Amino acid sequence: MTLSHPLSTPETAPRPPARPAAGFRRLWAADTAGQAGTALTLLALPLVAVGTLDATPFQAGLLMACEYLAFLLVGLPAGAWVDRSRHRRVMIAGGLGRALLLATVPLTAALGALTLPQLYAVAFGLSLCAVFSDVAAQSVLPRLVDGERLVEANVRLESTRSLVQAAGPGAGGLLLAVVAAPAALAVDAFAHLASALLLTGVRPADTPPGPGPEAGRREGLRAEIGAGLRFVLRHPRLRAVTLASALSNLCGTVGAAVLMVLLAGDLGLSPLWCGLVFTAEAAGGLLGGLLTARLAARFGEGRAMCGSLLLSGVAWLAAVPAFQDDWRFAVAVVLQALGWAAFMPFKIGAVSLRQRLCPPELLGRVTATVRFLVWGTMPAGALVGGLLGEWFGARAALWTGAVAELLAVVPLLAMASSRGGGRTGA
């Protein structure tokens, strides 16, 4: 008998890092370009709302809700549509769509016609592009690297994203100190255009998945969606991880929706200092991504993911009272970074687990189902955060979200308990 966590997988002998295949390298480069622009949008878009258009806490929450609304509205059918489509084309269209949407903000700002409803529309459009292109990208990855290298490939992607996002908000803060926030979004538009051009070289991703179990006949859309839902909800490990992710995103978005209101509005911090918070988060994410494989090997995938959720929740909770306009701000920044470093083993482990367990012909639908369940909670969290910020203040919303996020580990612990405390045969 050996003691292991029910989420853990059998140990395998360590393998030396392999040079990534050409298709993965191109996907990696395209993702890096897109993430560089997104890192700037993370800072610039809410600053346009709060700083340029004087958005209230509720309006700021509504803007964040729009950024994730498409995952709730079309998240489920998106997977079936992606599985029927050529993934490379879907990703290219997503990059071009993001570039066009973001380009409208500096254009209308220059004409003096920028409004909050336009920002809501742009945010929703960005989420719509993300629904399809992100599902396609995750469905492509297992076709570019073999199953044993999935964790390594996801670590490379997440580590690079964290590195880009660490530099992005800081560089964005410097840029925003020189130019207006709407004009800075033009840089993001060019970054997504570059991403779309790079994706044209991901040739292996252009092959659609093969036929399902009923070969030669396409299932109806409802049946295809149902297949993805059933796979996630009936698989104990996927169900527990998905529920934990949904709770984490729901509660985390409650505070994230009003974070910029607290920093730029209540505390009056400059864009440079606001950007430092996001830079620290991404730097912590980079560190956590680099440690993920070692932690999973040392403690087992399941224990690493449980510890990840607990430690990140404690760090983020401790950061809330430290957000002040004095020396305590440095403490809050460090705690935010530590929270993201702790969270990455769960984030990377959840994606790798899904890609490893899911049959290739179902991966698009399963990914979309998970995104629907996990990201679909975020519009609700953003609206709750906006309302709490409007009624009780931004800091009260941050406290609420941080305390509630500690509950995200409960589904993983409940599954471990239901399977005999994690004791399995050797």
Side-chain angles (χ1 to χ4, degrees):
M1 277 299 218
T2 60
L3 187 63
S4 65
H5 193 280
L7 285 172
S8 300
T9 52
E11 293 185 2
T12 57
R15 298 177 58 181
R19 186 169 182 264
F24 174 71
R25 290 199 303 271
R26 294 187 181 100
L27 178 66
W28 195 1
D31 184 74
T32 301
Q35 290 297 325
T38 300
L40 177 56
T41 300
L42 183 68
L43 177 63
L45 196 62
L47 277 178
V48 172
V50 175
T52 304
L53 300 176
D54 298 319
T56 66
F58 175 73
Q59 289 170 333
L62 183 57
L63 177 63
M64 178 166 281
C66 290
E67 293 178 28
Y68 300 103
L69 186 58
F71 289 93
L72 184 62
L73 298 182
V74 297
L76 284 178
W81 290 329
V82 168
D83 276 344
R84 293 179 175 186
S85 307
R86 296 190 179 274
H87 299 140
R88 181 171 65 99
R89 294 178 183 176
V90 173
M91 291 187 292
I92 291 172
L96 292 175
R98 286 167 170 168
L100 290 171
L101 286 164
L102 289 164
T104 66
V105 177
L107 179 61
T108 54
L111 297 174
L114 183 63
T115 63
L116 278 171
Q118 181 188 343
L119 285 189
Y120 299 150
V122 168
F124 175 72
L126 292 175
S127 73
L128 197 62
C129 292
V131 167
F132 293 97
S133 59
D134 290 1
V135 167
Q138 289 197 18
S139 300
V140 158
L141 186 58
R143 301 175 190 278
L144 299 176
V145 296
D146 61 59
E148 295 179 355
R149 299 289 185 187
L150 272 177
V151 172
E152 180 184 328
N154 278 310
V155 165
R156 282 174 168 165
L157 286 170
E158 289 294 339
S159 298
T160 305
R161 289 169 187 169
S162 296
L163 181 62
V164 171
Q165 290 166 1
L174 290 173
L175 179 62
L176 289 165
V178 178
V179 302
L185 289 173
V187 178
D188 190 3
F190 281 113
H192 285 294
L193 179 61
S195 176
L197 294 176
L198 286 167
L199 285 169
T200 60
V202 186
R203 298 296 176 183
D206 202 30
T207 303
E214 299 179 46
R217 182 178 70 85
R218 287 192 186 275
E219 296 175 318
L221 183 62
R222 182 178 299 179
E224 292 182 3
I225 293 171
L229 273 170
R230 285 192 298 274
F231 188 88
V232 173
L233 297 180
R234 292 179 180 177
H235 198 293
R237 284 186 287 175
L238 281 181
R239 184 174 64 242
V241 170
T242 299
L243 182 55
S245 300
L247 286 172
S248 177
N249 281 359
L250 172 66
C251 302
T253 311
V254 171
V258 295
L259 179 59
M260 196 60 66
V261 175
L262 176 67
L263 298 180
D266 296 352
L267 300 181
L269 299 179
S270 69
L272 183 61
W273 291 110
C274 294
L276 182 61
V277 176
F278 297 103
T279 297
E281 290 177 352
L286 173 62
L287 175 63
L290 294 175
L291 294 176
T292 291
R294 293 182 181 180
L295 291 173
R298 172 67 177 84
F299 299 104
E301 190 176 51
R303 288 192 179 94
M305 291 172 73
C306 283
S308 172
L309 281 178
L310 281 174
L311 291 175
S312 62
V314 170
W316 289 330
L317 180 64
V320 175
F323 278 116
Q324 305 291 343
D325 58 352
D326 53 27
W327 62 269
R328 289 171 289 182
F329 180 74
V331 176
V333 169
V334 171
L335 288 169
Q336 286 288 105
L338 291 176
W340 275 100
F343 186 69
M344 292 309 290
F346 174 77
K347 182 178 180 181
I348 293 175
V351 174
S352 301
L353 180 73
R354 179 170 71 247
Q355 292 171 334
R356 189 169 60 245
L357 295 177
C358 181
E361 67 275 6
L362 275 176
L363 190 53
R365 280 166 281 178
V366 167
T367 299
T369 297
V370 171
R371 287 293 182 95
F372 168 77
L373 296 172
V374 169
W375 291 47
T377 63
M378 297 174 80
L383 289 176
V384 170
L387 288 171
L388 288 174
E390 193 82 19
W391 295 336
F392 305 107
R395 196 179 298 276
L398 283 171
W399 274 116
T400 302
V403 171
E405 191 156 359
L406 293 172
L407 300 175
V409 75
V410 171
L412 302 186
L413 297 177
M415 189 190 67
S417 175
S418 69
R419 296 184 62 166
R423 189 172 295 275
T424 59

